Amino acid sequence: MKFIVSSTALLSHLQAISRVINSKNTMPILDNFLFNLRGNKLTMTASDQETTMTTEIDVIEADGEGMFAVSAKILLDPLKELPDQPLTFEINDSNLEIFLYFQNGKYNFIGVNGDEYPRKSELGEGAVSLTLSASALLNGINRTLFATADDELRPIMNGIFIDIHPEEACFVASDSHKLVRYKNVTVKAGIDAAFILPKKPANLLKNILPKEQGDVTVSFDNRNARFTLSNFELNCRLIEGRYPNYASVIPQNNPNRLIIDRSSFTNALRRVSVFSSQSSNLVKLQLSNNLVVVSAQDIDYSTSAEESITCSYDGDDMNIGFKSTFLVEVLNNIASQEVSIELSDPSRAGLILPMENQPDEDLLMLLMPMMLNDF
């Protein structure tokens, strides 16, 4: 078997799928890429058993066809250092010895029998399919991924809950301290369905979706999902279980409303939080007429800080505490110049909303407060 392929095209596709490969695998074969040559199409696969990613490129020239696996490390590391040029692969079909010829030299290594490579999971007969734009899927993942949990006891919280309705798609993530709900009304699926996308495939999609222009086809049953893009296909095991009723934890009656410049608020929080207790990262917000005072202290080290920021505040005077790292993280994931913070009382969750949503989008973030031992 022999084929010639562009080094740049090969490297960019292999780098994209290489993120699937774990640093430590239970099966040695999973340290490899699977190559499958059929006609002038070269299909490459990477897998960790639960997530499988496949991509396809056209070869310049091909002689014969077949399947073999090759070590990801042996192939990727030298390819990164090669300038753009044609690469010639020659594979001995009997012993899978591989010669890779390039402009100024050659590499020689042994492949692995491709038949040993695990097959991707197929979807069941009751699978549901929908099509949405790459940008809608990317925005949904980007807005929510940071709020997913790392909870071994409640694995359903470790992914993004994608709640599909006939006229919109809703992306939800929560780690029980913060919650993000992102709605996109451009997704008109015409069905009611839902699944929980694990963090790893969500991160893989986050890396490849920015280069996509067209639509993405999502097919899923109650165990697996398949995302079909123009140059990639991602198959993954879903998180099984019932996601909590997220709508029930969003407070409806919030009479106290603060409107503030997002970057000024974020910068003040970063500065003041340096003086907070390292164990709690607690910052206090003192809200009064058109002024918010951000303060923090660390009793153990006798340090404290306080900053005042002008704002628009309509409501009762209030002192409320938040974990500064969570609050900054939430603010960093909002694009709007100004944010609105809606509160009911110091013991209930606060809603943080962009003053200007993107067209066809609705973003809501919720953050639980911390108990104040008043400074």
Side-chain angles (χ1 to χ4, degrees), residues 48-251:
D48 68 356
Q49 285 192 290
E50 294 202 340
T51 304
T52 302
M53 203 164 170
T54 305
T55 186
E56 187 179 83
I57 58 172
D58 292 321
V59 297
I60 300 165
E61 195 181 301
D63 179 18
E65 55 183 36
M67 187 166 61
F68 63 96
V70 60
S71 163
K73 185 172 176 57
I74 282 179
L75 197 53
L76 269 184
D77 289 354
L79 275 182
K80 289 174 188 171
E81 310 304 327
L82 280 179
D84 182 24
Q85 60 186 285
L87 303 175
T88 302
F89 282 79
E90 286 186 6
I91 298 99
N92 183 325
D93 294 332
S94 60
N95 65 1
L96 292 178
E97 185 177 13
I98 300 168
F99 286 93
L100 170 53
Y101 297 95
F102 55 97
Q103 201 167 359
N104 299 314
K106 66 176 182 179
Y107 302 135
N108 174 219
F109 44 92
I110 301 295
V112 182
N113 189 335
D115 293 333
E116 298 174 26
Y117 210 83
R119 298 288 170 257
K120 61 190 177 190
S121 303
E122 296 299 324
L123 299 178
E125 287 182 9
V128 172
S129 279
L130 67 131
T131 302
L132 71 166
S133 69
S135 60
L137 181 58
L138 177 62
N139 288 342
I141 291 170
N142 274 339
R143 292 281 185 266
T144 52
L145 186 58
F146 81 95
T148 52
D150 288 303
D151 190 338
E152 291 181 5
L153 299 177
R154 299 180 72 202
I156 54 169
M157 307 304 289
N158 298 345
I160 300 171
F161 180 56
I162 302 179
D163 196 9
I164 299 152
H165 301 288
E167 295 298 315
E168 66 181 19
C170 198
F171 296 74
V172 180
S174 177
D175 62 2
S176 76
H177 301 288
K178 51 187 178 287
L179 178 144
V180 181
R181 186 202 66 196
Y182 168 83
K183 288 183 182 177
N184 192 311
V185 296
T186 63
V187 183
K188 311 282 187 188
I191 53 169
D192 279 304
F195 63 93
I196 305 171
L197 179 65
K199 200 175 295 192
K200 182 172 179 176
N203 267 310
L204 292 166
L205 288 166
K206 183 179 175 179
N207 282 311
I208 59 173
L209 282 169
K211 296 170 188 167
E212 288 288 316
Q213 301 298 324
D215 289 338
V216 178
T217 302
V218 184
S219 307
F220 58 96
D221 56 19
N222 56 0
R223 293 197 67 193
N224 298 289
R226 181 175 66 232
F227 296 82
T228 308
L229 292 74
S230 57
N231 288 314
F232 295 92
E233 183 180 282
L234 186 143
N235 292 264
C236 66
R237 182 86 46 85
L238 297 174
I239 298 174
E240 295 181 54
R242 187 178 179 84
Y243 202 80
N245 180 2
Y246 60 89
S248 66
V249 302
I250 299 172

